[in-house]
Amino acid sequence: MNAPLVRIDNLTKTFVAGAPAAIEALTTQIRAGQVTGLVGPDGAGKTTLMRLIAALLTPSAGRIDVLGLDVTTQGPAIHDTIGYMPQRFGLYEDLTVMENLRLYADLRGLPDGERAATYERLLAFTDLARFTDRLAGALSGGMKQKLGLACAMLRSPKLLLLDEPSVGVDPISRRELWRMVYALIADGVGVVWSTAYLDEAENCAEVIVMNAGRVLYQGDPKAMTAQMAGRVFQAHGAGEERRALLARALADPAVVDGVMQGEAIRLVMAEGCPPPSRETIGAPPQTEIAPAPPRFEDAFVAALGGIPKRALSAPGRRDFSNGSVAPVEAKGLTRRFGDFTAADHITFSIRRGEIFGLLGPNGAGKSTTFKMMCGLLRPSEGEALVDGLDLYKAPSAARAKLGYMAQKFSLYGDLSTRQNLDFFAGAYGLSGARRRDAVAHAIETFDLAPYAKTNAGELPLGYKQRLALSCAIMHEPPVLFLDEPTSGVDPLTRREFWAYINAMVGRGVTVMVTTHFMDEAEYCDRVALIYRGQAIATGTPAELQASVRTPQRPTPTLEDAFIALVEARENGRKEAA
Amino acid sequence: MNGTSGSMRRIRALIVKESLQVARDPSSFVVAVVLPALLLFLFGFGISFDAARLKIGLVLEDPTPAARDFATSLTNTPYFSVREATDRRAFVDDLAAGKINGVVTLSGDFAERLARGDTAAIQLVTDGSDPNTAALTTGYVQGAWQAWRAQRAVGAPAPPGGIEVQPRFWFNPELESRRFLVPGSISLIQMMIGSLLTALVVSREWERGTIEALLATPVGVVEFIIGKLVPNFALGMIAMMVCVLASIFVFGIPLRGSFLVLTLFTAAFLAVALSLGLLISTVARTQFLASQLAMLVAFLPGLYFSGFLFEIASMPAPLQWFSTIVPAKYYVRGLQTIFLAGDIPAVILPTGAVLLLMATILFAITARNTKQRLD
């Protein structure tokens, strides 16, 4: 076993006297030569812990030793020996790549004699040598992340702290970063990697799983996952009925967790319960239930006590199952900005009661496509149709058919829950008894009554999300557009959100989602993979996975499929060039 | 590595970084160059308390040679645009409509009254609905009348009886308001650069999250602050040069004092403005809040209580007391003296001392409130 780099003993951090502590009575150790994952949902206290280790915050109680130095009294000495990359990478966007590197080399006191060699090594390592004169602000998310890492590594630190390095970074760049980090730990560097993505935990030698300022689990993630052996199952073949089946299965007290996985549903059983059968979960006869290898997320949700068993009343009362026209259609949608074509003849048609995903890395053109579909951006060519209505020929009639939930929840933070609901009801043209009825219904279905008088800005994340959704569907639209609805949201809140969406889809509501998260994509019936402005592949998640199946990779994940399809496209371009 | 040389190197790196950012950031450029230019030209050309070309109706009831002579002297000054008539009724409607600012009447017995030494030889009617212009018109007509009398008196026996008030305006004989507005606006510009820009560039580091990365390096808070102050101090001094050159060559304002004293005096004021900016930045962590606070704490008091736009002596007592803590008041007083009168130690030394004291106090408060860490 390696000697610990960081010793944390009974650490507590409170920001406001009387408020709940951000970190409570935490004791742990971080070792050299491995990646320690700091895993937990938003607000778990990950960033606070990172800043405490980096001697940027002072502990309220307890003690932290970093490389034998006390953070409270020996901050400057710690800053001399660690590398720290904050969220958003800490780069000066109005300086070039090289100027950023030079600045941090000066600040960290890199000796002149070592500079040329260090720059060369880091630029090669991060593959940024071609971009030294580019402004950091003009780099893609993945490149910014690499530059941030290079700046943190200028003096070969013994401890490298990376605070949510993979936020806003596409899966391909994410893999490259992991490759770089593995190269570092081979040299004996200790790396702390904080993340809200549970799938990243499986890449770590050790994880510290946090929730609400406390440690839920520390140790080998595989050991935590292994606890779930024999408790995870997949049900295939339920077809159109699978959403209803998931809802039924979750009603069984023996089922602690259940999610959609493309055409299958994934079920996690409570400890000691027998495997699910068609009878116990009410599955149709053609369904096949088979054990599945557990994932870290299964263990995480089980450690949190499983999915909340709250009776869901279905949001919305109208049924849209019977309609003749395609609810959403894009016909050759093209948008040019000057010479640049952000969206290039994108065509798809979404069926009624379907969840359709626009999947792609940042800057691929999915937001442009999404904005054209919402009627927020005029296409240079092509048509965007909602319920057969052209968003540019009949804008108000078409928009009345769709509900839209933005990524950052467009709520008024200083209005209460009820006032937000009242406002959005008014904005959708409801008045008098109809408005009162719609608001009362939203409060009832989304269980908002306990927070009716709380300002939206102060709501817990899960309630904020429910409120945003209830505002978006106040006018009971047949079509719902979601922009990265559950990014950075903890797994329980995410499950609850999708339970509402599934209930709506069950009554014929059509949903379009943009996302670069594979988890969200797995809730989709079909996805279109957008890359460099074009839809390079469209199909069910299973079809996309099957299309990249090779002998070396018999069971590709959706993320594998995404990366393989993008790389194939890139290789095709290079050959053509 | 030697600690001191490491520290110097870090400070130099921060200054280089800050300068590059200023050079590339449009908002710094706007605050440091466009805003000063705009203010200077607004106060230099746009706002003026001088009434050039007051519109006067002149009634000559009896055009005797003496009356004609006075009429010519009115017409020849640059201050009036004169229309003549022989009956005052010709101007009544125009005065009521505000088309002219006043009516000067030389009555039929003007020559006799003049000979008698009668003080009320001419009559002036002004438009009291605009008291400022009315007062100006009165002043200028009186001035013209006295000048004309004085001219005629040369060689003639002094008119009997009565003491005459002969106002003389030293240092600004033409009473051109531009001459005190431009030095006043320099103080506003220094305040903008010193306080607003400093508060903005520090809060920007909070807003963009870069301060976190900086503080996790060996950079200390003092080094960070010096890195912010030096470029802004330089910027303030450059802006002062631009303003002084513009004052002298564009607005034709004399610089009667020495350039050295002006520079030192400005440096003292910049020290106050920079400390104030830093103090704001210890509270404001967004650029929006920083700019609002800078406007409220630095710019507006500088505009209203520095005495260059509004006479402090005519304000209610509480406001007069308040004005004593407004640094711009001392700077404007010293600046106007340096420009219009010269290096007068009796003004420069006490005002300079007050500025240095203010800078020290503000800096001490800032140093105490600046945190070494994020919490």
Side-chain angles (χ1 to χ4, degrees):
Chain A
M1 262 286 169
N2 299 311
L5 281 178
V6 182
R7 287 172 200 272
I8 299 174
D9 188 22
N10 208 19
L11 172 72
T12 296
K13 176 68 188 174
T14 317
F15 286 103
V16 184
I23 304 272
E24 201 162 342
L26 189 146
T27 299
T28 189
Q29 295 187 342
I30 290 165
R31 293 174 194 289
Q34 66 176 36
V35 182
T36 303
L38 198 53
V39 186
D42 281 6
K46 302 188 298 289
T47 296
T48 305
L49 183 57
M50 281 284 197
R51 289 175 174 173
L52 284 162
I53 298 173
L56 292 170
L57 293 174
T58 316
S60 308
R63 190 181 158 84
I64 311 177
D65 280 342
V66 177
L67 300 152
L69 302 163
D70 178 33
V71 293
T72 312
T73 55
Q74 293 173 292
I78 292 174
H79 294 158
D80 235 352
T81 46
I82 62 163
Y84 172 63
M85 181 167 89
Q87 284 178 26
R88 294 185 286 163
F89 320 126
L91 299 171
Y92 288 95
E93 305 220 323
D94 36 13
L95 299 188
T96 65
V97 169
M98 203 59 209
E99 284 163 354
N100 269 292
L101 272 180
R102 258 188 232 123
L103 171 67
Y104 281 101
D106 282 332
L107 298 184
R108 294 194 169 277
L110 185 67
D112 286 331
E114 296 173 23
R115 290 200 177 204
T118 307
Y119 292 155
E120 197 182 333
R121 178 172 58 84
L122 288 175
L123 288 173
F125 186 55
T126 54
D127 200 21
L128 286 171
R130 288 166 292 157
F131 306 106
T132 48
D133 291 332
R134 193 180 285 193
L135 291 183
L139 297 175
S140 72
M143 281 150 79
K144 279 182 195 163
Q145 172 211 50
K146 289 182 199 164
L147 178 58
L149 185 67
C151 289
M153 282 171 38
L154 275 159
R155 284 208 70 188
S156 310
K158 293 198 184 69
L159 174 67
L160 188 60
L161 304 170
L162 306 175
D163 194 3
E164 304 218 354
S166 45
V167 167
V169 169
D170 60 80
I172 296 171
S173 308
R174 200 146 73 114
R175 279 204 181 177
E176 280 178 32
L177 186 69
W178 274 104
R179 240 174 262 149
M180 297 200 280
V181 167
Y182 284 138
L184 289 176
I185 56 171
D187 297 337
V189 178
V191 177
V192 182
W193 175 305
S194 84
T195 181
Y197 305 140
L198 297 175
D199 55 337
E200 290 192 329
E202 298 180 25
N203 297 338
C204 304
E206 189 171 4
V207 288
I208 300 171
V209 181
M210 294 185 70
N211 193 47
R214 291 169 177 278
V215 174
L216 284 184
Y217 173 86
Q218 172 160 20
D220 185 348
K222 292 187 185 66
M224 186 171 175
T225 311
Q227 296 169 356
M228 305 308 293
R231 290 169 61 187
V232 184
F233 299 87
Q234 269 184 327
H236 293 271
E240 294 293 311
E241 233 191 284
R242 66 194 186 283
R243 282 186 237 282
L245 174 59
L246 176 61
R248 278 201 298 276
L250 286 172
D252 181 350
V255 177
V256 292
D257 186 20
V259 291
M260 307 291 307
Q261 275 195 305
E263 56 87 38
I265 64 173
R266 182 185 191 87
L267 297 173
V268 178
M269 307 305 289
E271 205 165 1
C273 287
S277 66
R278 277 196 286 273
E279 291 71 39
T280 55
I281 60 170
Q286 75 277 20
T287 317
E288 283 179 37
I289 298 173
R295 294 188 307 192
F296 185 77
E297 183 169 335
D298 301 327
F300 182 84
V301 173
L304 285 175
I307 196 165
K309 302 275 179 175
R310 204 166 52 81
L312 276 184
S313 39
R317 288 157 288 189
R318 279 155 67 185
D319 196 299
F320 302 104
S321 307
N322 306 309
S324 48
V325 289
V328 181
E329 251 186 305
K331 290 183 181 168
L333 268 186
T334 301
R335 174 70 200 201
R336 294 182 200 90
F337 297 101
D339 290 342
F340 175 66
T341 306
D344 188 4
H345 293 94
I346 288 177
T347 299
F348 54 80
S349 171
I350 308 180
R351 291 186 283 268
R352 200 160 292 280
E354 187 177 45
I355 302 182
F356 187 84
L358 291 177
L359 187 61
N362 293 325
K366 63 180 165 18
S367 297
T368 306
T369 309
F370 193 76
K371 281 181 192 151
M372 288 192 282
M373 295 308 298
C374 295
L376 300 172
L377 189 68
R378 182 174 287 278
S380 311
E381 255 177 64
E383 284 177 303
L385 305 173
V386 169
D387 238 15
L389 298 166
D390 189 310
L391 272 161
Y392 293 89
K393 289 185 187 129
S396 45
R399 274 184 219 166
K401 300 278 187 187
L402 66 87
Y404 168 57
M405 186 174 133
Q407 195 178 349
K408 297 282 174 220
F409 310 149
S410 322
L411 298 170
Y412 292 93
D414 40 11
L415 295 187
S416 72
T417 297
R418 182 180 286 280
Q419 286 164 338
N420 266 290
L421 290 168
D422 274 335
F423 170 78
F424 279 97
Y428 285 120
L430 304 178
S431 59
R434 286 181 60 214
R435 169 150 86 187
R436 281 194 296 279
D437 181 51
V439 170
H441 182 70
I443 289 179
E444 188 199 321
T445 32
F446 289 97
D447 208 5
L448 294 168
Y451 289 102
K453 288 185 179 147
T454 310
N455 281 358
E458 291 152 21
L459 288 176
L461 185 65
Y463 280 89
K464 218 182 256 181
Q465 196 171 38
R466 283 188 216 171
L467 177 59
L469 179 60
S470 64
C471 288
I473 60 169
M474 191 66 85
H475 55 311
E476 302 205 29
V479 174
L480 182 60
F481 287 175
L482 307 170
D483 193 4
E484 303 204 349
T486 51
S487 68
V489 169
D490 66 88
L492 296 185
T493 311
R494 187 166 62 213
R495 279 162 174 69
E496 193 182 83
F497 178 83
W498 282 101
Y500 284 119
I501 299 296
N502 282 340
M504 291 172 66
V505 169
R507 282 177 307 97
V509 173
T510 307
V511 179
M512 184 173 80
V513 188
T514 58
T515 185
H516 63 263
F517 295 104
M518 298 304 141
D519 285 342
E520 285 185 346
E522 291 203 339
Y523 283 92
C524 299
D525 295 293
R526 284 190 304 141
V527 293
L529 182 53
I530 311 282
Y531 185 68
R532 289 184 185 266
Q534 294 178 326
I536 61 171
T538 307
T540 65
E543 282 165 9
L544 295 187
Q545 281 163 265
S547 73
V548 300
R549 189 171 293 144
T550 60
Q552 296 81 27
R553 193 170 49 201
T555 54
T557 62
L558 193 52
E559 180 168 320
D560 293 328
F562 174 98
I563 290 171
L565 287 166
V566 166
E567 279 172 354
R569 183 74 172 192
E570 274 296 292
N571 293 338
R573 281 165 50 91
K574 276 181 197 143
E575 274 160 32
Chain B
M1 175 177 284
N2 182 315
T4 322
S5 77
S7 181
M8 288 312 295
R9 170 158 231 167
R10 289 195 289 274
I11 290 173
R12 202 187 62 201
L14 288 173
I15 291 172
V16 168
K17 175 215 102 185
E18 206 68 34
S19 312
L20 283 172
Q21 285 186 300
V22 168
R24 281 173 201 164
D25 179 26
S27 73
S28 301
F29 179 77
V30 166
V31 174
V33 179
V34 177
L35 216 60
L38 208 69
L39 274 178
L40 205 59
F41 279 82
L42 191 71
F43 285 117
F45 287 129
I47 300 181
S48 167
F49 296 146
D50 312 325
R53 297 270 162 204
L54 288 165
K55 289 192 264 316
I56 294 283
L58 180 63
V59 182
L60 297 181
E61 288 184 347
D62 180 11
T64 57
R68 274 252 66 90
D69 190 39
F70 178 63
T72 314
S73 84
L74 273 189
T75 318
N76 285 346
T77 67
Y79 308 119
F80 300 109
S81 148
V82 180
R83 269 164 49 201
E84 280 183 33
T86 49
D87 193 323
R88 73 179 70 185
R89 276 167 297 188
F91 294 120
V92 172
D93 288 346
D94 281 353
L95 188 66
K99 285 182 186 161
I100 54 175
N101 304 110
V103 180
V104 175
T105 308
L106 305 188
S107 58
D109 54 356
F110 177 69
E112 291 97 81
R113 281 172 177 240
L114 196 64
R116 283 206 305 270
D118 197 328
T119 46
I122 63 171
Q123 183 205 37
L124 171 66
V125 180
T126 54
D127 176 4
S129 67
D130 181 356
N132 263 340
T133 314
L136 269 173
T137 312
T138 312
Y140 280 98
V141 171
Q142 260 173 5
W145 171 243
Q146 275 156 2
W148 181 71
R149 289 262 310 258
Q151 225 171 20
R152 280 177 68 90
V154 175
I163 298 159
E164 259 185 273
V165 179
Q166 287 204 3
R168 278 194 62 200
F169 297 96
W170 282 15
F171 313 125
N172 188 3
E174 293 94 66
L175 271 182
E176 244 184 299
S177 61
R178 184 188 290 168
R179 292 203 167 175
F180 60 89
L181 282 178
V182 167
S185 57
I186 294 178
S187 85
L188 282 186
I189 292 161
Q190 299 298 338
M191 218 25 160
M192 294 298 271
I193 293 175
S195 302
L196 178 61
L197 203 57
T198 306
L200 276 181
V201 292
V202 178
S203 58
R204 186 177 306 157
E205 301 250 4
W206 281 103
E207 214 170 270
R208 297 190 183 162
T210 45
I211 198 159
E212 215 180 318
L214 271 194
L215 291 184
T217 69
V219 169
V221 170
V222 175
E223 292 163 0
F224 175 74
I225 286 177
I226 295 174
K228 291 285 175 199
L229 289 187
V230 171
N232 283 358
F233 184 80
L235 218 52
M237 285 321 236
I238 292 170
M240 183 207 73
M241 305 287 178
V242 173
C243 290
V244 169
L245 292 178
S247 307
I248 297 172
F249 296 108
V250 180
F251 300 109
I253 295 162
L255 176 61
R256 298 208 169 94
S258 69
F259 194 72
L260 177 71
V261 171
L262 178 66
T263 308
L264 291 176
F265 195 68
T266 301
F269 181 66
L270 259 180
V272 182
L274 290 168
S275 314
L276 194 57
L278 280 178
L279 189 60
I280 291 168
S281 71
T282 59
V283 190
R285 289 185 177 182
T286 63
Q287 296 191 65
F288 176 75
L289 187 58
S291 63
Q292 294 293 305
L293 277 177
M295 278 289 162
L296 202 66
V297 178
F299 188 76
L300 290 180
L303 187 67
Y304 290 114
F305 295 103
S306 63
F308 88 95
L309 275 186
F310 306 103
E311 191 56 50
I312 293 174
S314 60
M315 289 177 183
L319 292 185
Q320 290 195 37
W321 299 330
F322 176 73
S323 77
T324 56
I325 61 160
V326 174
K329 176 183 167 177
Y330 301 95
Y331 183 58
V332 166
R333 192 184 294 164
L335 209 57
Q336 289 179 349
T337 307
I338 296 171
F339 264 101
L340 301 178
D343 303 340
I344 315 279
V347 178
I348 307 298
L349 292 181
T351 48
V354 172
L355 289 177
L356 286 177
L357 181 72
M358 285 179 162
T360 313
I361 294 172
L362 284 172
F363 203 81
I365 300 175
T366 309
R368 226 190 50 195
N369 285 358
T370 301
K371 290 169 188 109
Q372 306 275 330
R373 298 191 176 205
L374 294 175
D375 56 347

